[in-house]
Amino acid sequence: MPNTLIKIENMSKTYQMGESVVHALRNVDLTINKGEFVAIMGASGSGKTTLMNLIGCLDKPSAGSYILDGIDIHSLNDNELSDIRNEKIGFVFQSFYLLPRTTAFENVELPLLYSTNLNLHQRREKVLQALETVKIAERSHHFPNQLSGGQQQRVAIARAIVNQALIMLADEPTGNLDSRTSVEVLSVFQELHRNGITVILVTHEKEIAMYAKRLIIFKDGRIISDQINNNQRNAAEDLKNLPKEEED
Amino acid sequence: MPLYAIFQIALKSLLRNKTRTFLTMLGIIIGVAAVITMLAIGQGAKTIVDDQINSMGTNVITVMSNMFNRSAVRSESGSSSGLTLEDVENIKDRFNDVLYASVLVSSFGRLKYKSLNWYSPVMGVDTDFQFIRNYEMEEGEFFTDNDVRSGNKVIVIGTTVATNLFPDESPIDKMIRLRNVPVRIVGVYKSKGQSVAGGDQDDMVIAPYSMVLGRLTGRWRPNLNIFVSAVSKEKIPKLQTDIMNYLLETNRAATEEDFVVNSQTDIAETSNRVSNTMTLLLASIASISLLVGGIGIMNIMLVSVTERIKEIGIRMAVGAKKKDVLMQFIIEAVMISLLGGLLGILLGAGLSKTLEHMMKWSISISTWSIVLSVTFSCAIGIFFGWYPAKKAASLNLIDALRYE
Ligand SMILES: Nc1ncnc2c1ncn2[C@@H]1O[C@H](COP(=O)(O)OP(=O)(O)OP(=O)(O)O)[C@@H](O)[C@H]1O
Ligand SMILES: [Mg+2]
């Protein structure tokens, strides 16, 4: 299966909280192919973030196997996991996680600094290109506190894609944004998706999930539903129909 | 991750918090400046002592009688001490390592010229004395062997004596009275400054020993000392024992305690020991402030790590390895301490120069003390930066990202 990007089998994650054990994930099986656009939904506490952290190699599972792009993640040490995060995965979080008092440009540059030897010129090129892709290049010298939420999220997306990530992991990326800005961000994801990036998106909003091609629903640490979305919406189209400058 | 990138990251973090960075640096700046200044003062004191020791002459050995404490033995030459004029001749003849030898008879006298009076120590010596102690002449000449043989009433004076008795004329060939004996001034020697003991070496009258013994001492017989100059520094210790053995052999001394055979190197060693101890003491006190500065760095770095837990989480999420985070914080600490060290050197140099100006000392800042300070401040950065950096690097990624 050359197309398989993520292959998770029987994955569990438990947290020990004093006496009690929290089962955040219970025996999850999940396969995602290259070029998919997946939305994950589910009640609060159902284990969505836990799964994203495991897919993104930010955390290690308690049990189960995980093959990412043909690599058995279980066999990797901390340094190799860092490299995977750096080279294959782009993260976008609900609260952006940009470095404060650091310009948009420098925030986007961050993964490149921890990456293989690129010279100053090559780095600059890549950063500007990423900022261009999310249409925020003109704000490259602004600090996060000088940007709107939507703009900050674009900078975060630029940071996620700057190192040619294979997978974009977005955990409630529109959670802090109004509906129009949310659709804008989704149009960026759809554009990235068209360019070949695999997108996995966690959201609480059904409307947002409808922009994805595949819908997974979580409950109590298990996948209870996994379907193709036959009514996938086009964010760019919707944006045209949404009145501009209107308050939500 | 390339090293320059870590430097860039560290530098940016420091610049993001300029005031705090500078205040942290201040501890190191003050510490290093204190060390530099203290070492410079110590070095300056040492130079002064060295100059004074050099002003004593070259490779000088002094032979002194200790017998005034013991039963005085009257010898033929009329000295109440154990040393005689023959001893001078014998020492000169017997030992090849002796370059010059001279007797020294110390006395004191009132000098009178016109209406002016001046009291000065008087040294009765042989002509060799001028070479032993390296007297250079400001004006006129030293007295001659003939003056010594004939007991001529001629003297050489120091510049202090000259300026006090002859405020506005040349003292050369002037007749003055020394203890009421008319004497002629034949020369003024160049200033020798302060002695090791702190006395004015220019407030001195030098006269032929024959004249001092014959004319100036009266019924009172002075102590004889002998000044010897060895051919080289290396020969000094052997010559010292040779002279002591000679004194024992000729029964002039019953025990070694009857005489003191001192060398210039002995004195130099003693005073060097003293000034080294002083330098060390000053530097240790200054080092304490450097240590306090280092602890300041550690304190700020710990605060900084706690403050930036989320930042560390973000860095790790985008691919920073533990060692990258470790390096970043260590380099931040080293940058603070190293830059602080360099500024401290500048401040220390400035302070030393000011002191030099105020105290009219020659203060020298050695490359050695600069190298020491730079190395030391680097070491402080690494040492005190290590613990906070280790703490940052061992944070759990998820916990760090979630930290509020
Ligand atoms: N570090 C942790 N320590 C202990 N329990 C944890 C930890 N992280 C998550 N959990 C627990 O694991 C379960 C799943 O949490 P998770 O964050 O994955 O939920 P979620 O689906 O993302 O919820 P939400 O929609 O509110 O973000 C929850 O019960 C949560 O309390
Ligand atoms: Mg969540």
Side-chain angles (χ1 to χ4, degrees), chain A residues 44-45 47-50 94 171-172 202 204, chain B residues 402:
Chain A
S44 185
K48 307 179 297 291
T49 297
T50 306
Q94 177 174 0
D171 193 353
E172 299 186 41
V202 168
H204 279 284
Chain B
R402 290 191 164 189

Side-chain angles (χ1 to χ4, degrees), chain B residues 37-50:
Chain B
T37 314
M38 292 306 158
L39 287 177
I41 289 175
Q43 196 63 41
K46 216 177 137 170
T47 327
I48 290 173
V49 172
D50 283 350

Side-chain angles (χ1 to χ4, degrees), chain B residues 31-256:
Chain B
V32 168
V35 170
I36 292 273
T37 314
M38 292 306 158
L39 287 177
I41 289 175
Q43 196 63 41
K46 216 177 137 170
T47 327
I48 290 173
V49 172
D50 283 350
D51 284 350
Q52 288 170 347
I53 285 166
N54 286 335
S55 76
M56 285 165 59
T58 12
N59 309 325
V60 177
I61 296 173
T62 52
V63 187
M64 283 174 286
S65 162
N66 225 358
M67 280 193 168
F68 49 86
N69 284 333
R70 301 164 164 269
S71 54
V73 184
R74 265 181 191 278
S75 75
E76 244 174 81
S77 68
S79 168
S80 64
S81 82
L83 292 171
T84 65
L85 289 171
E86 290 92 88
D87 289 333
V88 186
E89 292 309 314
N90 287 340
I91 288 171
K92 226 177 187 172
D93 292 343
R94 283 200 192 189
F95 308 117
N96 289 332
D97 295 340
V98 173
L99 193 59
Y100 301 108
S102 165
V103 68
L104 172 70
V105 193
S106 300
S107 181
F108 197 83
R110 186 177 67 156
L111 300 158
K112 199 167 167 14
Y113 177 69
K114 291 184 181 162
S115 61
L116 295 171
N117 283 298
W118 191 253
Y119 288 89
S120 276
V122 179
M123 299 197 294
V125 297
D126 206 342
T127 47
D128 270 9
F129 194 72
Q130 83 173 290
F131 306 114
I132 298 171
R133 305 273 313 245
N134 295 332
Y135 281 105
E136 285 173 50
M137 302 310 289
E138 177 92 36
E139 264 186 284
E141 301 288 336
F142 210 81
F143 49 78
T144 62
D145 284 334
N146 186 43
D147 291 329
V148 176
R149 268 195 301 278
S150 330
N152 286 344
K153 281 164 262 165
V154 289
I155 60 168
V156 171
I157 58 173
T159 47
T160 306
V161 183
T163 46
N164 280 290
L165 284 180
F166 303 93
D168 29 43
E169 52 186 319
S170 166
I172 301 300
D173 278 335
K174 295 277 156 32
M175 293 299 292
I176 65 169
R177 286 177 168 272
L178 170 58
R179 287 203 175 187
N180 274 329
V181 178
V183 296
R184 188 166 57 88
I185 298 170
V186 291
V188 179
Y189 62 85
K190 276 201 178 128
S191 171
K192 276 173 120 24
Q194 278 199 346
S195 74
V196 182
D200 181 1
Q201 298 191 84
D202 301 323
D203 185 9
M204 195 74 73
V205 172
I206 305 175
Y209 70 86
S210 45
M211 169 194 138
V212 176
L213 283 177
R215 292 283 179 163
L216 294 178
T217 54
R219 265 167 292 152
W220 177 79
R221 291 291 180 195
N223 220 14
L224 281 191
N225 293 327
I226 300 174
F227 273 65
V228 173
S229 167
V231 287
S232 69
K233 198 176 173 181
E234 291 68 42
K235 303 283 188 193
I236 290 177
K238 177 159 182 301
L239 196 52
Q240 269 179 284
T241 31
D242 283 348
I243 291 173
M244 184 51 94
N245 286 340
Y246 157 79
L247 292 170
L248 289 170
E249 273 165 31
T250 53
N251 283 327
R252 218 147 306 263
T255 72
E256 289 198 9

